[in-house]
Amino acid sequence: MNTNRKIAIIAGALFIIADVATFTGDALIPALTGADYLIQLSAHADLVAAGALAKIVSTFASVGIAIAMYPVMKRANAGLALGSVVFRTLEAAFYMVGIVSLLALLKLSQQFAAAGVADHASLQVIGDSLVSIRLWAAPLLGVFAFCVGSFMYNYLFFQSRLIPRWLSGFGIAAITSLTIACVLSLFSGNRITSYIPLASPIFVQELVLAVWLIVKGFNPSAIASLSAKTETN
């Protein structure tokens, strides 16, 4: 098995790990809404911790995608390939802020459950602040960074024909749709999950892309063309 084939398989596996871990984390972590969300967090501490672990796995897998593909993508355009790594690293940084905020909320919820009524108001204010940080850092700023990084390598896919153009074109369209959802979320104050029809196509595209990379790999003729171009330069 040559290096390019190994890279395709690793990248495909990371796409699947990132998406599965993301959905797992979302399913395990209780919604941070309602007046009693701190009580709900404290009551489901083990689930919250497991959800945070899933989010950590998703975060490292997400940045790993761009890093894994960089040796191939840089042959098409080194600047855009590096840019995809940078923005997916920024995405990971924002996600980690969200995870740290969640773990801080978990600790706060345990203090809230043990505290007297007189302390509840001040702890609730701190909790609301941490919720705001988490909502801005992970679902919004992190997704904005993801959109830029993902657009870069999907554009390189489309330009270089490393994968079929219908698949990379679908990725560009899905990223555009997700970006629109982010902008709407930013100006409306609604959560990005309020725009599922706009946000969901990219998950479909990534799963199809993952399967394609694992089963088919990169287009050999495109690899040969990029290698010849690199040697000429």
Side-chain angles (χ1 to χ4, degrees):
M1 185 183 295
N2 63 38
T3 301
N4 295 320
R5 189 73 186 93
K6 290 178 181 178
I7 289 173
I9 292 173
I10 291 171
L14 288 172
F15 271 115
I16 293 174
I17 292 170
D19 284 345
V20 170
T22 295
F23 287 121
T24 300
D26 290 340
L28 291 173
I29 299 169
L32 302 179
T33 57
D36 65 340
Y37 70 86
L38 286 173
I39 294 297
Q40 293 299 318
L41 283 176
S42 178
H44 300 89
D46 291 341
L47 286 179
V48 175
L53 178 60
K55 289 291 187 180
I56 291 171
V57 171
S58 172
T59 296
F60 282 103
S62 295
V63 70
I65 291 166
I67 294 172
M69 294 194 301
Y70 177 76
V72 173
M73 306 307 287
K74 71 177 181 179
R75 301 176 195 173
N77 187 307
L80 287 178
L82 180 59
S84 69
V85 174
V86 170
F87 276 96
R88 297 227 63 174
T89 302
L90 284 174
E91 172 198 352
F94 286 127
Y95 288 164
M96 288 304 296
V97 171
I99 293 167
V100 171
S101 299
L102 176 64
L103 293 175
L105 274 166
L106 179 57
K107 180 64 176 178
L108 184 72
S109 72
Q110 294 166 344
Q111 294 175 344
F112 185 90
V117 176
D119 297 323
H120 280 184
S122 58
L123 292 173
Q124 187 76 47
V125 170
I126 297 172
D128 292 346
S129 298
L130 289 170
V131 169
S132 296
I133 291 171
R134 182 173 184 269
L135 291 177
W136 279 100
L140 192 58
L141 296 178
V143 175
F144 265 124
F146 162 75
C147 288
V148 177
S150 182
F151 177 85
M152 286 179 174
Y153 57 69
N154 273 290
Y155 173 77
L156 288 180
F157 278 144
F158 188 86
Q159 186 183 52
S160 63
R161 299 178 184 269
L162 283 165
I163 62 174
R165 279 193 159 179
W166 63 264
L167 184 51
S168 54
F170 178 22
I172 292 171
I175 283 297
T176 302
S177 177
L178 180 58
T179 303
I180 292 171
C182 288
V183 173
L184 290 174
S185 176
L186 177 64
F187 284 98
S188 69
N190 296 325
R191 300 187 179 197
I192 197 167
T193 50
S194 302
Y195 305 99
I196 292 297
L198 291 172
S200 58
I202 189 59
F203 291 105
V204 177
Q205 191 268 349
E206 285 196 339
L207 288 176
V208 175
L209 174 58
V211 173
W212 185 276
L213 290 174
I214 292 170
V215 176
K216 294 286 189 179
F218 298 115
N219 181 358
S221 61
I223 288 287
S225 176
L226 291 176
S227 298
K229 179 181 175 182
T230 303
E231 291 173 2
T232 302
N233 294 336

